[in-house]
Amino acid sequence: MKKFTRVLAVVLALCCVACMFSACGSSKDENVIVFGTNAEFPPFESVVANGVVSSADGTQQYDGIDMAIAVKIAENNGKTAVINNIEFDSLLVALQNGQLDACIAGMTITEDRMKEVDFSIPYYTATQVMIVKEGSDIKTAQDMADKKIAVVQGYTGQTVVEGLGFEFTAFKKGTECVLELVNGKCDVVVIDSATAQKYVADNAGLVIVEDATAFEAEEYGIAVKKGNTELLDMINKEIEAMLADGTISSLAVQYTEAE
Ligand code: ARG
C-alpha cells in the first residue's frame, strides 16, 4: 500500500512536470501564434491601454507597426496572435526554447543572429541615427569620439558604436537613453531611425543627426526557430503580400503620424 502510494506520487509528479513542459511550449494551441517582442520600441511596439493585440492572459495590450503586422499574419491564416513581451536580449533564446513561435521586434537581420534563428524576408528598412541636443557640435559619427554615448543593451546601435571603437554606456530601454540626454548626462543616443523620430517628437530640444557613411541600412525581419519552415513560409507569404499591396507602408505612415 505504502509502495503503491509512493508510485502514485511519482507518477503524479511526472505528469505535473510533463504538463509544465507542454505549457512552456508555445505551439500547444494550433490556433494561436505566440509572437515575442520587446514593447519598448515605438512606432513598432509599445504597451498601450487599447491596442490591436494582447498578452496571452489579456492583462497587457500592445500597438504599433509590428503588432498590426503580427495580427494580420495570424488572422489571414485563421489564427490568433498573442504577444509575449520580454527583454530584447532574451528574445532569441526564448524562440530557441519554444517559448515563442515567432519574434517580431523591429529586429535587424544580422549574420550573428542568423546563426541562431531563421529570418523572414525583410519588411522594413531602417538605419542608426544619432539623437543630440539642439546646438550640439556632433555632425558626423566620428564627432562622437570624445563624447558620452548612450545605446540600448543588445540593439544594433550598440554593435555599430562598438564597431566605431567608441566608449559607450548601455541602458535597458531607449527611454532611459533619451532621459540621460535630456538631463545632460550624455551627449548622444545612437538608435534606430523611426524610434529616434518618435523620441525627438516627444521631447523638445532634441534633434536627429544622420551619417549615411557611418551607418549602413538595416533590414528588419521576423525570426522563427531554426528549421521552422512551415511558419516561416506562412510569414513570408504574408509579408510579401503586405509589401506588394502597400499595407506595410500605410501602417508605417499611420503609426509615425499617430499622436
Ligand atoms: N533594430 C535594432 C536591433 O535589431 C533594435 C530593435 C529593438 N527592438 C525592440 N522591440 N526593442 O537590434
Side-chain angles (χ1 to χ4, degrees):
M1 184 62 192
K2 233 176 157 189
K3 190 174 177 200
F4 174 75
T5 320
R6 215 180 305 136
V7 169
L8 191 68
V10 169
V11 168
L12 280 176
L14 285 176
C15 281
C16 281
V17 171
C19 286
M20 267 158 57
F21 274 108
S22 63
C24 284
S26 47
S27 32
K28 61 184 180 331
D29 187 343
E30 290 287 299
N31 299 314
V32 171
I33 304 178
V34 180
F35 285 94
T37 199
N38 168 253
E40 292 285 348
F41 200 63
F44 296 92
E45 42 263 342
S46 308
V47 177
V48 293
N50 281 296
V52 294
V53 64
S54 68
S55 54
D57 63 6
T59 57
Q60 255 194 355
Q61 294 202 29
Y62 310 92
D63 206 357
I65 299 167
D66 283 347
M67 302 296 95
I69 291 174
V71 168
K72 284 183 198 291
I73 291 173
E75 282 179 357
N76 289 344
N77 290 279
K79 297 173 193 279
T80 308
V82 303
I83 298 299
N84 198 342
N85 179 22
I86 62 179
E87 289 197 4
F88 188 75
D89 268 352
S90 309
L91 283 168
L92 297 191
V93 173
L95 203 53
Q96 289 167 328
N97 287 345
Q99 235 176 295
L100 312 170
D101 295 313
C103 164
I104 185 161
M107 187 177 276
T108 304
I109 304 170
T110 67
E111 270 176 28
D112 276 349
R113 290 172 180 163
M114 275 164 63
K115 288 178 197 152
E116 295 178 55
V117 294
D118 288 341
F119 276 99
S120 69
I121 55 169
Y123 66 90
Y124 189 91
T125 304
T127 181
Q128 297 301 309
V129 299
M130 298 170 279
I131 313 178
V132 296
K133 275 194 172 169
E134 267 167 19
S136 162
D137 55 2
I138 297 175
K139 303 288 177 222
T140 69
Q142 282 305 323
D143 294 338
M144 297 194 291
D146 53 352
K147 303 285 187 188
K148 282 193 185 138
I149 308 172
V151 298
V152 185
Q153 171 87 43
Y155 284 18
T156 41
Q158 176 179 340
T159 321
V160 166
V161 173
E162 277 168 355
L164 290 167
F166 300 153
E167 307 244 307
F168 59 86
T169 309
F171 294 87
K172 283 259 170 213
K173 301 174 178 186
T175 47
E176 291 173 34
C177 294
V178 170
L179 199 64
E180 290 281 303
L181 181 62
V182 168
N183 292 337
K185 291 190 187 155
C186 74
D187 303 306
V188 54
V189 176
V190 178
I191 197 161
D192 299 53
S193 38
T195 305
Q197 266 154 33
K198 177 83 179 113
Y199 291 145
V200 166
D202 289 351
N203 294 274
L206 302 185
V207 288
I208 289 175
V209 178
E210 296 180 42
D211 184 340
T213 21
F215 306 129
E216 290 170 5
E218 297 185 13
E219 290 183 313
Y220 295 171
I222 300 175
V224 299
K225 189 176 184 163
K226 261 204 178 302
N228 190 354
T229 47
E230 197 183 327
L231 182 57
L232 194 61
D233 288 349
M234 186 178 106
I235 289 171
N236 278 337
K237 249 191 19 225
E238 295 303 327
I239 293 178
E240 224 168 288
M242 284 189 266
L243 286 172
D245 71 5
T247 301
I248 294 186
S249 34
S250 44
L251 283 174
V253 170
Q254 180 193 328
Y255 283 102
T256 44
E257 281 175 356
E259 288 143 80

